[in-house]
Amino acid sequence: MRAMVLERPRTPLVMRERSAPEPASGEILIEVAACGVCRTDLHVVDGELPNPKLPIVPGHEIVGRVAAMGAGVAGLAIGERVGVPWLGSTCGLCPYCRSGRENLCDRPLFTGYTRDGGYATRALADARYCFPLPERRDDAEVAPFLCAGLIGWRSYRMAGAGEGTGAEGTGPQALGLYGFGAAAHILAQIAAWQGRRVYAFTRSGDDAAQAFAKSLGAVWAGGSDEMPPEPLDAAIIFAPVGALLPMALKAVKKGGRVVCGGIHMSDIPSFPYRLIWEERQVVSVANLTRADAREFLTLAPQAGVKSEVTRYPLEAANEALADLREGRLQGAAVLIP
Ligand SMILES: [Zn+2]
Ligand SMILES: [Zn+2]
């Protein structure tokens, strides 16, 4: 098998030939068909997340087909299409796992960070954390669902949205999305489908991203330094920029909530207490649970969510990461081995 490997943080990935691993008990070997490129991969490559496994194969939005199964794997078949997300495994024993919060597990493994991921022709995964993906849509187009979709969905739930529709009065009617990348482009469609008013905030002057947001159902799009035309009920920050937090707090109304949806963010500047006064809230979202994944993967087809992807060959992983870093992408980057 071939894999793009990070040997040391802050160095380019290098292509390596490896012998294909055998799945251990409970694992499956996957023939990778597509792997999304997530901003978290940049944080891993840049050494911004502590204690990665090194060398590491990044990539946690894997779509592929089961090539081999270890002992004891149930509910999957050879050749079946599956998705592998960021949550690679959990301990099942800690207080978080036992209270429905496996996203906060004390001893987790994360795909493409603490266990090898999908920037490769083949990947191993713990079968219990993989999801069957019906062959309804293209491999590359479904890949961004595995993180941008799932963690976006958890962020959306934390913002008070979820099932039902905004028109029925459940959850935020006016929802701000800061950073219009892979996650926001998926969520905007769900929120619009549910009747919410989506306000998209991009880098100031990024006309292409603002037009893209409007094409996906946003009622307004502007620079993140602008105030929206109405106060927001809630906002989600996907861009890894701490300075956005006080701006989002300014834009939400009394009792509003600002959700930080990323795994890493630059430092948050100090801000006056009045920005959080009147029961405004700030929360972060960590990882995902398998329940989040099941909900999102059921809902996305109902909402008719489409993903906009740019395909790169596996060996162009460094170019894909550079394009993501520089904001040259619309939607999501996906590697095709
Ligand atoms: Zn645990
Ligand atoms: Zn991700």
Side-chain angles (χ1 to χ4, degrees):
M1 59 173 272
R2 292 176 306 130
M4 290 297 282
V5 178
L6 178 73
E7 299 192 325
R8 286 192 318 283
R10 294 174 295 280
T11 62
L13 307 184
V14 286
M15 178 65 83
R16 292 283 182 246
E17 285 281 345
R18 294 176 165 185
S19 51
E22 291 284 322
S25 175
E27 285 186 331
I28 54 174
L29 178 67
I30 295 164
E31 176 134 25
V32 179
C35 184
V37 177
C38 173
R39 183 162 292 281
T40 300
D41 302 339
L42 277 181
H43 298 316
V44 171
V45 169
D46 290 345
E48 289 169 328
L49 302 184
N51 308 317
K53 175 182 105 61
L54 288 173
I56 182 79
V57 180
H60 55 269
E61 296 179 314
I62 306 172
V63 176
R65 288 171 185 77
V66 179
M69 299 196 290
V73 172
L76 293 173
I78 297 288
E80 184 169 3
R81 187 164 84 156
V82 292
V84 184
W86 169 250
L87 190 72
S89 67
T90 58
C91 75
L93 301 170
C94 74
Y96 296 101
C97 283
R98 286 185 294 148
S99 58
R101 295 180 291 168
E102 64 184 4
N103 61 307
L104 300 176
C105 175
D106 285 333
R107 286 176 295 278
L109 285 177
F110 295 115
T111 312
Y113 174 36
T114 54
R115 67 174 294 163
D116 280 338
Y119 287 18
T121 52
R122 300 207 153 199
L124 283 177
D126 184 323
R128 296 168 302 166
Y129 296 81
C130 301
F131 305 103
L133 297 173
E135 302 266 356
R136 271 197 295 261
R137 67 171 83 203
D138 178 78
D139 294 325
E141 287 173 13
V142 81
F145 285 6
L146 272 309
C147 182
L150 302 191
I151 295 184
W153 175 250
R154 186 172 182 85
S155 306
Y156 188 70
R157 294 294 301 268
M158 294 285 259
E163 298 94 347
T165 66
E168 288 164 8
T170 55
Q173 308 289 300
L175 175 69
L177 300 175
Y178 285 78
F180 206 83
H185 103 285
I186 290 171
L187 271 193
Q189 298 174 62
I190 291 179
W193 175 72
Q194 291 182 328
R196 306 182 201 283
R197 297 185 298 283
V198 176
Y199 294 84
F201 298 82
T202 72
R203 295 180 209 212
S204 103
D206 192 344
D207 297 336
Q210 291 170 16
F212 182 50
K214 286 185 184 160
S215 77
L216 296 176
V219 296
W220 176 92
S224 51
D225 52 346
E226 291 177 48
M227 288 296 279
E230 67 166 317
L232 304 174
D233 296 304
I236 307 173
I237 303 176
F238 288 116
V241 181
L244 291 173
L245 181 61
M247 292 184 198
L249 279 170
K250 262 182 222 170
V252 298
K253 60 175 72 158
K254 289 185 279 190
R257 186 178 264 206
V258 176
V259 178
C260 301
I263 193 170
H264 175 82
M265 198 181 236
S266 57
D267 287 353
I268 297 165
S270 72
F271 55 85
Y273 176 64
R274 66 177 162 75
L275 292 187
I276 202 166
W277 166 240
E278 294 170 325
E279 301 190 348
R280 290 174 180 84
Q281 300 173 45
V282 175
V283 294
S284 69
V285 163
N287 314 314
L288 71 141
T289 66
R290 285 172 285 179
D292 296 328
R294 283 188 287 269
E295 276 178 19
F296 174 79
L297 293 171
T298 303
L299 187 106
Q302 293 168 12
V305 175
K306 296 191 172 54
S307 50
E308 172 113 351
V309 299
T310 304
R311 294 168 173 80
Y312 297 78
L314 175 61
E315 47 274 17
N318 291 306
E319 287 82 343
L321 287 166
D323 287 348
L324 177 61
R325 186 192 306 283
E326 300 303 326
R328 286 192 291 257
L329 280 164
Q330 204 128 88
V334 178
L335 302 180
I336 308 291

